Amino acid sequence: MNIQYQKKHINTWNIFSRSILINNFTNKINTLIITRDEDINKKLKILDYLKSKITIVDNFSTLIDVLYNKNKSYIIWQKAFYKKIPNKYQIENNFSLKLKKNDYYKIDDVIKKLNDFWYKYRDYLEGWDYKKQWDLLYIKIKNSNHKIVISFFWDIVENIFLQFNENQLDIEYITIWENKSLNNFEDTSNFNTELIDIINSNNTNVIVDNLDINKDYDLFLKINNITTLESLKNINYKQLDLKITDIFINNIDNLLENIKIYKTNFYTKNTNTIKSFCEYNNIEKYIINKSTIPHLKSFKAWNELFICDDVLSRIFAKKRLKKSISQNVDLMLQIKPWDYVVHIDHWVWIFTWIVSKEIYWNKKEFLEISYKNNDKIFTPITSIWRVSKYIWKENPTLTSLNSKEWSKKINKASEDAEKIAKDLLEIYAKRSLLQWQEFIIDKQKMSKFQDSFEFNYTQDQINAIDEILSDLSNKKPMDRILIWDVWFWKTEVAFNAIYASFINKKQSVLISPLVVLAYEHYSKAIDRFAWLGMNIEILTRFETASKAKQILSNLKSWKIDLVIWTHRLLWKEVVYNDLWLLVIDEEHKFWVSEKEKINEIAWRNYKPWSNFSHKFPHVLSMSATPIPRSLNMALNSIKWVSILRNPPPWRKPIETYVSIFDDNIIIDACKKEFDRWWQVFFVHNRVATIEWMLNYLQKLFPSKKIIVTHWQLEWDELENRIIDFKNKKYDILLSSTVIENWIDFPNVNTIIINDAYKFWISQIHQLRWRVWRSDKQGYCLLLFNKEKINPDSAKRLQTIVEYSHLWAWFELSLKDLEIRWWGDILWIKQSWNSSDIWINTFLKLLEEKIEELKIKNKNTPKKEIIKTNIELNIDAFLDDIYFDSDIDKLNFYKEIESFEEIEDINNVYNEFSQENKINSSAKNFFRILKLRLKLWEYFVLNVKKVWINYELNFKKDISIDDLKKFLDKDSKVIFSVVSIDKIRTNTKNFKDDFSFFEYLESMFAVKKKIKLIKK
């Protein structure tokens, strides 16, 4: 696994794979690596783990080393080339101190100069430090393997040594450079070409690694001795394909299948587990490397696998709870070091990482968080529930700890969220409370229907069908979203639900956002159901008035079992006889107001003689590219979600390229298809200039036939043109995004998308899968006209190329969740509104709304969740050995938030004890969790030691009766009441904090009843 000198290479976005390639290269050749700004910290950690001898150019001294061609390897930010750096003359005269033997120089003058250069006096030298001992001056430069020792005889420099561990080298002169960070140099919008000239004059070997395409990329290519390692496929020049691909393995069988074929390198925290696994399964070709680096991503290089904890922790994950974990954890799992996150008390900050600290001889773990003005706080990891990922703007402004800005924002957010959520939540909340008559699932009939499908179902399809049928047989109305990629047979899964409705003698509706899609569904439904005697109709705006009237009449009198249509479903005159199932295809194409009208269909389905006052139909939404709103609802348990990751076995990913708009590139891409008698899509999404594009393409391909389609055409004309193209009457279809949700085109294998940076990720992903989706290789060419595009647009292009693999759909949705502005998630932007609302405030309001409706429905008192904080000096800690990875650790602490029963804690404890030796610290940890649950029941907010007292603080509005219930548990009567919400006891009553903790435990211990036996 190596890269070739002075060649251009194509690799993945996988930082781990690129770091290994760079390390292998620099072990042979001293090199300067120029890398993306946001990658450098992650890369340095990995390179350090790989024992690489690469030095970061982060200050003036190391920059000088690069400029003067020192015999080392260095890594530098791309942003350094946009700094106003002085020239060589200024450097030598203003930023350096030159000392030579026998020079006249006072030792105090040298020390003054060192202080001016930001060196510090220390007894123990680490880096950028000095110390004076008599007439000797010791200086240590960061990242150097020696000390500089200068001896003075009065005011004369007598000797200069480089002192190593075991010996020293006598030298004639030394140059000491100023310790100035590159960040302190002035930023400039102009590219610093002088740095490139110096690099070329020194004949420096350079690796250009994965740079931003919108930052003067071509100027870096002017370096003479350049080797490129790029993630974007570029047709402008030839690239060597390193055949490095991401891998996705999600079960043990799949893992075994791969590691038996390929040589495997494991990088894991749990070496013993993997070693036992390999030995048990007689695996021969493997190497296990101990790694604690977080977020390494697995990959395949030629015939070799590099498998990390991202795969292993998923396969060997501990499922600690019987109940499902809150889907909010999924968002938490996306948090990585240096991510922007939101703290419920302090707004926006940067999550650095988990740190351990000794507090009164007991080990505790904290989240290190950074604020504006270099402020830092350390939040206990057990309070991780207060943290969520920031998903608003790209680079938010950090807040300071003393700012009152957040309290104003949170108050405004609560008001706005309530206004937006009120109407939307009413329907979802009521659905979750309704009782419903379940379907009776005839397994024999269902099996016969499934066997009639022309292909074999994948395991994921089987799972999704089982989940849907389980919902239908439940007493609550289903509201499930089916998420998977294009051509994963989602319609066939929906047909299973429709058939289940049919055999239960109920009506079903399949709604499509586009007329042409509706007709395609109608054609498929006829093929699948006609032999079963199902009555199927389609109703769109193109049916005649008389036919539409007849269909509506038949629907009301139950002469139709399945109706397929578009927005006409929303008409108020539509009345069903017994509607039980609503299937929504391409649900991301519907606006919020339309979706709520769909939900309100149930109100028109009211029957006075029914046992159910409001009959909501079961709802199955389907989307290959779910908008963040639906995805977020699914992740937060508002909707149920079925996710399919595994594609049909014959399906291949689309090869995706990015290039500047160029005649030759377009000609090459199209000619390849024409030589095979195939056709091409060319997407140009501006109707105003589409005729110009038609003339342009006709000049490039004078012998080819080109047809134009867009939304401004009359429907009949649009449909005829599409059909003519499908029947191969034309070679190129020049179109707007009208083809995004069209029928299949089996003869098209290449799509070219012009001005691709103007599209959203989901649009590009949907468009590129318009090319033929069989076992043939498909191609997507993304063109951009501007030499500089904005960072968001560049990120979209980079993301769509990075996620070209077959399970990319879900990851792309999460990327959309991050890149698209947060308003989409709160349903604001799609509703033509805007507001400044924090996502978690909205979700909290959502949960509270549902809780209020439950209370209102059942007329029961509100159940309040109190998160008790126990602040006692107790050795209660879980070591790293209990977790598969750092992600697993974060996941676990997030799960603690959902513990509501002692049984949950016991289940987790039993699993821990079965797999590991439980030490006293771990036992105490679980004991504290149990005590927290007990204290919740009595409205205790916190337990802490304050001077000579132990204090318990209750919620402010606690009643006297509730306080009395707690005091009744105090058998020794040691607590005294300070106020209605505070009690305390003197520390003299207990040996230490742990003794007090044990007393609290005893207050809630179950008393064993003694049975008296009569003699």
Short mmCIF file of all heavy atoms in Angstrom, two decimals, residues 49 255 265-279 286-293 296 307-318 320 879-889 912 915-916:
data_model
loop_
_atom_site.label_atom_id
_atom_site.label_comp_id
_atom_site.label_asym_id
_atom_site.label_seq_id
_atom_site.Cartn_x
_atom_site.Cartn_y
_atom_site.Cartn_z
N TYR A 49 0.50 8.02 16.29
CA TYR A 49 0.25 6.61 16.63
C TYR A 49 1.07 5.68 15.74
O TYR A 49 1.58 4.64 16.20
CB TYR A 49 -1.24 6.32 16.48
CG TYR A 49 -1.58 4.85 16.42
CD1 TYR A 49 -1.50 4.05 17.55
CD2 TYR A 49 -1.98 4.26 15.22
CE1 TYR A 49 -1.80 2.70 17.50
CE2 TYR A 49 -2.29 2.92 15.16
CZ TYR A 49 -2.20 2.14 16.30
OH TYR A 49 -2.48 0.81 16.24
N LEU A 255 -18.24 -10.49 8.44
CA LEU A 255 -16.85 -10.28 8.86
C LEU A 255 -16.00 -11.51 8.56
O LEU A 255 -14.91 -11.41 7.99
CB LEU A 255 -16.81 -9.95 10.36
CG LEU A 255 -15.42 -9.78 10.98
CD1 LEU A 255 -14.71 -8.58 10.36
CD2 LEU A 255 -15.51 -9.61 12.49
N ASN A 265 -5.79 -6.38 8.75
CA ASN A 265 -5.12 -5.63 9.80
C ASN A 265 -6.19 -5.06 10.73
O ASN A 265 -7.01 -4.24 10.30
CB ASN A 265 -4.30 -4.49 9.21
CG ASN A 265 -3.25 -4.98 8.23
OD1 ASN A 265 -2.14 -5.33 8.63
ND2 ASN A 265 -3.59 -5.00 6.95
N PHE A 266 -6.19 -5.48 11.97
CA PHE A 266 -7.15 -4.97 12.94
C PHE A 266 -6.50 -3.82 13.73
O PHE A 266 -5.34 -3.92 14.16
CB PHE A 266 -7.58 -6.06 13.93
CG PHE A 266 -8.42 -7.14 13.32
CD1 PHE A 266 -7.87 -8.38 13.01
CD2 PHE A 266 -9.77 -6.93 13.05
CE1 PHE A 266 -8.64 -9.38 12.45
CE2 PHE A 266 -10.55 -7.93 12.50
CZ PHE A 266 -9.99 -9.15 12.19
N TYR A 267 -7.24 -2.75 13.91
CA TYR A 267 -6.83 -1.64 14.76
C TYR A 267 -7.93 -1.44 15.79
O TYR A 267 -8.98 -0.88 15.48
CB TYR A 267 -6.61 -0.37 13.93
CG TYR A 267 -5.42 -0.45 13.01
CD1 TYR A 267 -5.53 -1.04 11.76
CD2 TYR A 267 -4.18 0.04 13.41
CE1 TYR A 267 -4.43 -1.14 10.92
CE2 TYR A 267 -3.08 -0.05 12.57
CZ TYR A 267 -3.21 -0.65 11.33
OH TYR A 267 -2.12 -0.74 10.50
N THR A 268 -7.69 -1.94 17.00
CA THR A 268 -8.78 -2.00 17.97
C THR A 268 -8.29 -1.80 19.38
O THR A 268 -7.11 -2.03 19.71
CB THR A 268 -9.51 -3.36 17.86
OG1 THR A 268 -10.55 -3.42 18.83
CG2 THR A 268 -8.55 -4.52 18.07
N LYS A 269 -9.22 -1.38 20.20
CA LYS A 269 -8.96 -1.24 21.63
C LYS A 269 -9.03 -2.58 22.33
O LYS A 269 -8.40 -2.81 23.35
CB LYS A 269 -10.03 -0.29 22.18
CG LYS A 269 -9.73 0.36 23.48
CD LYS A 269 -10.84 1.36 23.76
CE LYS A 269 -10.50 2.18 24.96
NZ LYS A 269 -11.53 3.19 25.22
N ASN A 270 -9.82 -3.48 21.75
CA ASN A 270 -10.10 -4.77 22.40
C ASN A 270 -9.34 -5.90 21.70
O ASN A 270 -9.91 -6.73 21.01
CB ASN A 270 -11.61 -5.04 22.38
CG ASN A 270 -12.37 -3.95 23.08
OD1 ASN A 270 -12.34 -3.83 24.29
ND2 ASN A 270 -13.06 -3.12 22.29
N THR A 271 -8.04 -5.89 21.88
CA THR A 271 -7.19 -6.86 21.18
C THR A 271 -7.47 -8.29 21.62
O THR A 271 -7.45 -9.21 20.80
CB THR A 271 -5.71 -6.53 21.42
OG1 THR A 271 -5.47 -6.44 22.83
CG2 THR A 271 -5.33 -5.22 20.78
N ASN A 272 -7.74 -8.48 22.91
CA ASN A 272 -7.99 -9.85 23.39
C ASN A 272 -9.25 -10.45 22.78
O ASN A 272 -9.27 -11.62 22.40
CB ASN A 272 -8.10 -9.85 24.92
CG ASN A 272 -6.79 -9.52 25.60
OD1 ASN A 272 -5.73 -9.72 25.01
ND2 ASN A 272 -6.86 -9.00 26.81
N THR A 273 -10.28 -9.64 22.66
CA THR A 273 -11.54 -10.13 22.06
C THR A 273 -11.31 -10.55 20.62
O THR A 273 -11.77 -11.63 20.19
CB THR A 273 -12.61 -9.02 22.12
OG1 THR A 273 -12.82 -8.65 23.48
CG2 THR A 273 -13.92 -9.50 21.51
N ILE A 274 -10.62 -9.72 19.84
CA ILE A 274 -10.40 -10.01 18.43
C ILE A 274 -9.45 -11.20 18.26
O ILE A 274 -9.66 -12.05 17.37
CB ILE A 274 -9.84 -8.77 17.70
CG1 ILE A 274 -10.81 -7.60 17.86
CG2 ILE A 274 -9.59 -9.06 16.24
CD1 ILE A 274 -12.23 -7.89 17.42
N LYS A 275 -8.45 -11.30 19.11
CA LYS A 275 -7.53 -12.44 19.04
C LYS A 275 -8.26 -13.75 19.30
O LYS A 275 -8.10 -14.74 18.57
CB LYS A 275 -6.39 -12.26 20.05
CG LYS A 275 -5.34 -13.36 19.97
CD LYS A 275 -4.22 -13.13 20.98
CE LYS A 275 -3.20 -14.26 20.89
NZ LYS A 275 -2.12 -14.08 21.89
N SER A 276 -9.11 -13.76 20.31
CA SER A 276 -9.89 -14.97 20.62
C SER A 276 -10.84 -15.32 19.47
O SER A 276 -11.00 -16.48 19.11
CB SER A 276 -10.69 -14.76 21.91
OG SER A 276 -9.84 -14.48 22.99
N PHE A 277 -11.43 -14.29 18.90
CA PHE A 277 -12.36 -14.50 17.78
C PHE A 277 -11.64 -15.12 16.58
O PHE A 277 -12.13 -16.07 15.97
CB PHE A 277 -12.98 -13.16 17.38
CG PHE A 277 -13.82 -13.20 16.15
CD1 PHE A 277 -15.09 -13.75 16.17
CD2 PHE A 277 -13.33 -12.69 14.95
CE1 PHE A 277 -15.86 -13.79 15.02
CE2 PHE A 277 -14.10 -12.73 13.80
CZ PHE A 277 -15.36 -13.28 13.83
N CYS A 278 -10.46 -14.61 16.24
CA CYS A 278 -9.70 -15.13 15.10
C CYS A 278 -9.21 -16.55 15.35
O CYS A 278 -9.26 -17.41 14.46
CB CYS A 278 -8.52 -14.21 14.78
SG CYS A 278 -9.00 -12.61 14.12
N GLU A 279 -8.73 -16.81 16.56
CA GLU A 279 -8.25 -18.16 16.88
C GLU A 279 -9.39 -19.17 16.87
O GLU A 279 -9.24 -20.29 16.37
CB GLU A 279 -7.56 -18.14 18.25
CG GLU A 279 -6.23 -17.40 18.25
CD GLU A 279 -5.63 -17.30 19.63
OE1 GLU A 279 -6.33 -17.65 20.62
OE2 GLU A 279 -4.46 -16.85 19.75
N TYR A 286 -3.81 -12.45 9.65
CA TYR A 286 -4.30 -11.25 10.34
C TYR A 286 -3.21 -10.68 11.25
O TYR A 286 -2.32 -11.40 11.72
CB TYR A 286 -5.56 -11.55 11.14
CG TYR A 286 -5.35 -12.41 12.37
CD1 TYR A 286 -5.10 -11.83 13.61
CD2 TYR A 286 -5.39 -13.80 12.30
CE1 TYR A 286 -4.91 -12.61 14.74
CE2 TYR A 286 -5.21 -14.59 13.41
CZ TYR A 286 -4.96 -14.00 14.63
OH TYR A 286 -4.77 -14.77 15.74
N ILE A 287 -3.27 -9.38 11.45
CA ILE A 287 -2.40 -8.67 12.38
C ILE A 287 -3.28 -7.81 13.27
O ILE A 287 -4.16 -7.10 12.78
CB ILE A 287 -1.38 -7.77 11.63
CG1 ILE A 287 -0.49 -8.62 10.72
CG2 ILE A 287 -0.53 -6.98 12.62
CD1 ILE A 287 0.39 -7.79 9.80
N ILE A 288 -3.05 -7.88 14.58
CA ILE A 288 -3.85 -7.08 15.52
C ILE A 288 -2.98 -5.97 16.09
O ILE A 288 -1.91 -6.22 16.65
CB ILE A 288 -4.40 -7.96 16.66
CG1 ILE A 288 -5.32 -9.05 16.10
CG2 ILE A 288 -5.18 -7.11 17.66
CD1 ILE A 288 -5.86 -10.00 17.13
N ASN A 289 -3.44 -4.74 15.93
CA ASN A 289 -2.73 -3.57 16.44
C ASN A 289 -3.56 -2.91 17.54
O ASN A 289 -4.74 -2.64 17.34
CB ASN A 289 -2.49 -2.56 15.32
CG ASN A 289 -1.73 -3.16 14.15
OD1 ASN A 289 -0.53 -3.26 14.18
ND2 ASN A 289 -2.46 -3.57 13.11
N LYS A 290 -2.94 -2.68 18.66
CA LYS A 290 -3.62 -2.00 19.75
C LYS A 290 -3.78 -0.52 19.40
O LYS A 290 -2.81 0.16 19.10
CB LYS A 290 -2.82 -2.14 21.05
CG LYS A 290 -3.40 -1.43 22.26
CD LYS A 290 -4.56 -2.19 22.86
CE LYS A 290 -5.00 -1.57 24.17
NZ LYS A 290 -6.14 -2.29 24.76
N SER A 291 -5.00 -0.03 19.42
CA SER A 291 -5.23 1.38 19.05
C SER A 291 -6.29 1.99 19.96
O SER A 291 -7.34 1.40 20.18
CB SER A 291 -5.69 1.47 17.59
OG SER A 291 -6.15 2.77 17.31
N THR A 292 -5.99 3.18 20.45
CA THR A 292 -6.97 3.93 21.24
C THR A 292 -7.35 5.23 20.53
O THR A 292 -8.00 6.09 21.12
CB THR A 292 -6.41 4.25 22.64
OG1 THR A 292 -5.18 4.98 22.49
CG2 THR A 292 -6.16 2.99 23.44
N ILE A 293 -6.95 5.35 19.27
CA ILE A 293 -7.30 6.55 18.49
C ILE A 293 -8.79 6.50 18.17
O ILE A 293 -9.26 5.53 17.57
CB ILE A 293 -6.50 6.62 17.18
CG1 ILE A 293 -5.00 6.60 17.46
CG2 ILE A 293 -6.89 7.86 16.38
CD1 ILE A 293 -4.49 7.84 18.11
N LEU A 296 -11.33 6.04 13.99
CA LEU A 296 -10.68 5.49 12.80
C LEU A 296 -11.74 4.80 11.95
O LEU A 296 -12.61 4.10 12.47
CB LEU A 296 -9.59 4.48 13.19
CG LEU A 296 -8.37 5.03 13.93
CD1 LEU A 296 -7.36 3.93 14.19
CD2 LEU A 296 -7.72 6.18 13.18
N ILE A 307 -9.39 -3.03 9.38
CA ILE A 307 -10.66 -3.00 10.11
C ILE A 307 -10.45 -2.38 11.48
O ILE A 307 -9.60 -2.82 12.26
CB ILE A 307 -11.26 -4.42 10.23
CG1 ILE A 307 -11.51 -4.99 8.83
CG2 ILE A 307 -12.54 -4.39 11.04
CD1 ILE A 307 -12.12 -6.37 8.84
N CYS A 308 -11.27 -1.35 11.76
CA CYS A 308 -11.14 -0.59 13.02
C CYS A 308 -12.39 -0.77 13.88
O CYS A 308 -13.31 -1.51 13.51
CB CYS A 308 -10.91 0.89 12.71
SG CYS A 308 -9.60 1.18 11.49
N ASP A 309 -12.42 -0.05 14.98
CA ASP A 309 -13.53 -0.21 15.93
C ASP A 309 -14.85 0.34 15.41
O ASP A 309 -15.89 0.08 15.98
CB ASP A 309 -13.19 0.46 17.26
CG ASP A 309 -12.31 -0.43 18.13
OD1 ASP A 309 -12.44 -1.66 18.03
OD2 ASP A 309 -11.49 0.10 18.90
N ASP A 310 -14.83 1.12 14.31
CA ASP A 310 -16.11 1.56 13.75
C ASP A 310 -16.92 0.36 13.26
O ASP A 310 -18.15 0.35 13.34
CB ASP A 310 -15.89 2.55 12.61
CG ASP A 310 -15.19 1.93 11.41
OD1 ASP A 310 -14.26 1.12 11.62
OD2 ASP A 310 -15.56 2.25 10.27
N VAL A 311 -16.23 -0.67 12.76
CA VAL A 311 -16.89 -1.92 12.35
C VAL A 311 -17.03 -2.87 13.53
O VAL A 311 -18.09 -3.43 13.78
CB VAL A 311 -16.09 -2.60 11.21
CG1 VAL A 311 -16.55 -4.04 11.00
CG2 VAL A 311 -16.25 -1.81 9.91
N LEU A 312 -15.94 -3.04 14.27
CA LEU A 312 -15.92 -4.05 15.34
C LEU A 312 -16.90 -3.71 16.46
O LEU A 312 -17.56 -4.60 17.00
CB LEU A 312 -14.50 -4.18 15.90
CG LEU A 312 -13.44 -4.62 14.88
CD1 LEU A 312 -12.06 -4.61 15.51
CD2 LEU A 312 -13.77 -6.00 14.33
N SER A 313 -17.01 -2.44 16.82
CA SER A 313 -17.92 -2.07 17.91
C SER A 313 -19.37 -2.26 17.49
O SER A 313 -20.24 -2.49 18.32
CB SER A 313 -17.68 -0.63 18.36
OG SER A 313 -17.90 0.27 17.31
N ARG A 314 -19.62 -2.16 16.17
CA ARG A 314 -20.99 -2.38 15.69
C ARG A 314 -21.34 -3.87 15.75
O ARG A 314 -22.45 -4.25 16.08
CB ARG A 314 -21.11 -1.85 14.25
CG ARG A 314 -22.48 -2.01 13.65
CD ARG A 314 -22.64 -1.18 12.40
NE ARG A 314 -21.62 -1.49 11.41
CZ ARG A 314 -20.77 -0.60 10.90
NH1 ARG A 314 -20.82 0.64 11.30
NH2 ARG A 314 -19.88 -0.95 10.00
N ILE A 315 -20.36 -4.73 15.44
CA ILE A 315 -20.62 -6.18 15.43
C ILE A 315 -20.65 -6.75 16.84
O ILE A 315 -21.50 -7.57 17.17
CB ILE A 315 -19.53 -6.89 14.59
CG1 ILE A 315 -19.65 -6.45 13.13
CG2 ILE A 315 -19.65 -8.40 14.71
CD1 ILE A 315 -18.53 -6.95 12.26
N PHE A 316 -19.70 -6.30 17.67
CA PHE A 316 -19.60 -6.84 19.02
C PHE A 316 -20.19 -5.88 20.05
O PHE A 316 -19.78 -5.86 21.20
CB PHE A 316 -18.13 -7.12 19.37
CG PHE A 316 -17.48 -8.12 18.46
CD1 PHE A 316 -16.63 -7.70 17.46
CD2 PHE A 316 -17.73 -9.46 18.60
CE1 PHE A 316 -16.02 -8.61 16.61
CE2 PHE A 316 -17.14 -10.39 17.76
CZ PHE A 316 -16.27 -9.97 16.76
N ALA A 317 -21.13 -5.06 19.62
CA ALA A 317 -21.72 -4.05 20.50
C ALA A 317 -22.47 -4.69 21.65
O ALA A 317 -23.11 -5.71 21.49
CB ALA A 317 -22.64 -3.13 19.73
N LYS A 318 -22.41 -4.04 22.79
CA LYS A 318 -23.17 -4.49 23.95
C LYS A 318 -24.55 -3.85 23.93
O LYS A 318 -24.67 -2.65 23.87
CB LYS A 318 -22.45 -4.10 25.24
CG LYS A 318 -21.06 -4.65 25.38
CD LYS A 318 -20.44 -4.14 26.67
CE LYS A 318 -19.06 -4.72 26.91
NZ LYS A 318 -18.07 -4.15 26.00
N ARG A 320 -27.29 -3.08 26.15
CA ARG A 320 -27.40 -3.09 27.60
C ARG A 320 -28.83 -2.99 28.11
O ARG A 320 -29.11 -3.31 29.23
CB ARG A 320 -26.57 -1.94 28.17
CG ARG A 320 -25.10 -2.07 27.80
CD ARG A 320 -24.29 -1.07 28.60
NE ARG A 320 -22.90 -1.23 28.32
CZ ARG A 320 -22.27 -0.62 27.35
NH1 ARG A 320 -22.93 0.19 26.56
NH2 ARG A 320 -20.99 -0.81 27.14
N ASP A 879 -13.96 1.83 34.22
CA ASP A 879 -12.72 1.83 33.44
C ASP A 879 -13.01 1.58 31.96
O ASP A 879 -14.07 1.07 31.58
CB ASP A 879 -11.78 0.73 33.96
CG ASP A 879 -11.22 1.07 35.34
OD1 ASP A 879 -10.82 2.23 35.52
OD2 ASP A 879 -11.22 0.19 36.21
N ASP A 880 -12.01 1.91 31.13
CA ASP A 880 -12.16 1.75 29.68
C ASP A 880 -12.36 0.30 29.26
O ASP A 880 -12.89 0.04 28.18
CB ASP A 880 -10.91 2.30 28.97
CG ASP A 880 -10.86 3.82 29.03
OD1 ASP A 880 -11.89 4.43 29.35
OD2 ASP A 880 -9.79 4.39 28.76
N ILE A 881 -11.94 -0.64 30.09
CA ILE A 881 -12.05 -2.06 29.71
C ILE A 881 -13.50 -2.50 29.53
O ILE A 881 -13.78 -3.50 28.87
CB ILE A 881 -11.38 -2.98 30.76
CG1 ILE A 881 -12.04 -2.79 32.13
CG2 ILE A 881 -9.90 -2.74 30.81
CD1 ILE A 881 -11.59 -3.81 33.15
N TYR A 882 -14.44 -1.75 30.08
CA TYR A 882 -15.84 -2.12 29.97
C TYR A 882 -16.48 -1.67 28.66
O TYR A 882 -17.63 -1.98 28.39
CB TYR A 882 -16.64 -1.51 31.13
CG TYR A 882 -16.20 -1.98 32.50
CD1 TYR A 882 -15.76 -1.09 33.46
CD2 TYR A 882 -16.23 -3.34 32.82
CE1 TYR A 882 -15.36 -1.51 34.72
CE2 TYR A 882 -15.83 -3.77 34.07
CZ TYR A 882 -15.39 -2.86 35.02
OH TYR A 882 -15.00 -3.30 36.25
N PHE A 883 -15.72 -0.93 27.83
CA PHE A 883 -16.30 -0.37 26.62
C PHE A 883 -15.52 -0.82 25.40
O PHE A 883 -14.30 -0.98 25.44
CB PHE A 883 -16.32 1.17 26.70
CG PHE A 883 -17.08 1.69 27.88
CD1 PHE A 883 -16.42 2.12 29.02
CD2 PHE A 883 -18.45 1.73 27.86
CE1 PHE A 883 -17.11 2.60 30.11
CE2 PHE A 883 -19.16 2.21 28.95
CZ PHE A 883 -18.50 2.64 30.07
N ASP A 884 -16.24 -0.97 24.30
CA ASP A 884 -15.61 -1.37 23.04
C ASP A 884 -14.84 -0.23 22.40
O ASP A 884 -13.92 -0.44 21.63
CB ASP A 884 -16.66 -1.88 22.05
CG ASP A 884 -17.30 -3.18 22.52
OD1 ASP A 884 -16.60 -3.97 23.15
OD2 ASP A 884 -18.50 -3.37 22.28
N SER A 885 -15.27 0.98 22.66
CA SER A 885 -14.64 2.14 22.04
C SER A 885 -15.05 3.38 22.82
O SER A 885 -15.91 3.32 23.70
CB SER A 885 -15.07 2.27 20.57
OG SER A 885 -16.46 2.51 20.50
N ASP A 886 -14.45 4.50 22.46
CA ASP A 886 -14.84 5.76 23.10
C ASP A 886 -16.26 6.15 22.72
O ASP A 886 -16.99 6.75 23.50
CB ASP A 886 -13.87 6.88 22.71
CG ASP A 886 -12.48 6.64 23.28
OD1 ASP A 886 -12.37 6.38 24.49
OD2 ASP A 886 -11.50 6.68 22.52
N ILE A 887 -16.65 5.79 21.49
CA ILE A 887 -18.03 6.03 21.07
C ILE A 887 -18.98 5.21 21.95
O ILE A 887 -20.04 5.69 22.36
CB ILE A 887 -18.21 5.61 19.59
CG1 ILE A 887 -17.48 6.59 18.69
CG2 ILE A 887 -19.67 5.56 19.22
CD1 ILE A 887 -18.04 7.98 18.68
N ASP A 888 -18.60 3.98 22.23
CA ASP A 888 -19.42 3.13 23.09
C ASP A 888 -19.57 3.74 24.47
O ASP A 888 -20.63 3.69 25.09
CB ASP A 888 -18.75 1.75 23.19
CG ASP A 888 -19.67 0.72 23.84
OD1 ASP A 888 -20.89 0.84 23.69
OD2 ASP A 888 -19.15 -0.19 24.51
N LYS A 889 -18.49 4.37 24.95
CA LYS A 889 -18.54 5.01 26.27
C LYS A 889 -19.52 6.19 26.26
O LYS A 889 -20.37 6.32 27.15
CB LYS A 889 -17.15 5.49 26.67
CG LYS A 889 -17.12 6.19 28.03
CD LYS A 889 -15.77 6.81 28.31
CE LYS A 889 -14.73 5.76 28.61
NZ LYS A 889 -13.44 6.35 29.04
N PHE A 912 -22.38 -6.54 32.53
CA PHE A 912 -21.01 -6.13 32.87
C PHE A 912 -20.32 -7.24 33.66
O PHE A 912 -19.18 -7.59 33.39
CB PHE A 912 -21.05 -4.86 33.71
CG PHE A 912 -20.95 -3.59 32.90
CD1 PHE A 912 -21.98 -3.20 32.08
CD2 PHE A 912 -19.82 -2.80 32.96
CE1 PHE A 912 -21.91 -2.04 31.34
CE2 PHE A 912 -19.72 -1.63 32.22
CZ PHE A 912 -20.77 -1.25 31.40
N GLU A 915 -19.23 -10.33 31.63
CA GLU A 915 -18.14 -10.16 30.67
C GLU A 915 -16.83 -9.74 31.32
O GLU A 915 -15.76 -9.92 30.74
CB GLU A 915 -18.54 -9.11 29.64
CG GLU A 915 -19.77 -9.50 28.82
CD GLU A 915 -20.27 -8.35 27.96
OE1 GLU A 915 -19.59 -7.31 27.92
OE2 GLU A 915 -21.31 -8.51 27.34
N ASN A 916 -16.88 -9.15 32.49
CA ASN A 916 -15.68 -8.61 33.12
C ASN A 916 -15.72 -8.83 34.62
O ASN A 916 -16.77 -9.11 35.20
CB ASN A 916 -15.57 -7.09 32.87
CG ASN A 916 -15.67 -6.73 31.40
OD1 ASN A 916 -14.70 -6.80 30.68
ND2 ASN A 916 -16.85 -6.32 30.96
#
